[in-house]
Amino acid sequence: MEATRVGRAMRLARKLLPSRKEAPQATVADVTLPALSLPLERIALVVCVLARERAAELLGGLVDAEAGRALRYLERFAAMPSAQRHAKVAAEFGERADAANRLALFLEAAPEALRQEALRGLPPYHRSRFPQWEDAGPPGDAAPVLTALAERRIREALR
């Protein structure tokens, strides 16, 4: 399993620290650690979503100045409703790399009524990928349950 960016940064930091044999007078404060590869707000968001119970403990392990900022971000994210937090994750980290393929698989396997409703709900840049199903029919004829299901399946395919 490949190490994370933070793990690689910490290993690099350990390599930069002088050994006791080389410089016994050097302290950890004398060494500049490499910067985190992700912005602090994004790190706090990921930790909030993936390890909510231990998030404060994990972010508290950062350098003091960054830990305080990260904990403030964490408080803000924890106060958000779940749906808003997940929407923020999707907006920050974008669509999946294979989103178009997943969307195509969904549309091919979907029943005709669900496919037509999904095509109506697709953004134009995704709809242009499927010219074979271009005629989506008149909008608004579908049941609300079918519309909700199509929207959810589209979100699942894109994230």
Side-chain angles (χ1 to χ4, degrees), residues 3-126:
T4 64
R5 291 180 189 160
V6 174
R8 287 191 299 261
M10 294 307 294
R11 277 197 305 278
L12 178 62
R14 279 189 228 116
K15 287 179 185 177
L16 295 175
L17 289 173
S19 68
R20 291 184 183 174
K21 295 176 189 172
E22 295 172 6
Q25 71 278 5
T27 64
V28 175
D30 296 336
V31 177
T32 304
L33 296 175
L36 296 173
S37 59
L38 285 175
L40 193 56
E41 184 177 13
R42 294 179 90 191
I43 292 171
L45 180 61
V46 169
V47 170
C48 180
V49 171
L50 297 179
R52 188 166 186 164
E53 298 81 28
R54 296 185 47 221
E57 174 189 348
L58 293 171
L59 293 175
L62 294 172
V63 177
D64 289 337
E66 290 182 344
R69 282 188 19 233
L71 290 173
R72 285 191 298 276
Y73 287 132
L74 177 64
E75 288 173 4
R76 193 178 78 205
F77 295 139
M80 289 180 178
S82 177
Q84 186 179 4
R85 195 171 36 251
H86 287 292
K88 178 137 181 81
V89 169
E92 284 290 324
F93 295 99
E95 291 183 352
R96 297 174 56 109
D98 62 344
N101 294 337
R102 290 169 50 97
L103 191 57
L105 289 173
F106 157 62
L107 290 173
E108 289 171 3
E112 185 63 28
L114 182 59
R115 179 185 308 129
Q116 293 300 320
E117 189 58 31
L119 286 168
R120 279 189 210 103
L122 280 178
Y125 58 91
H126 281 301

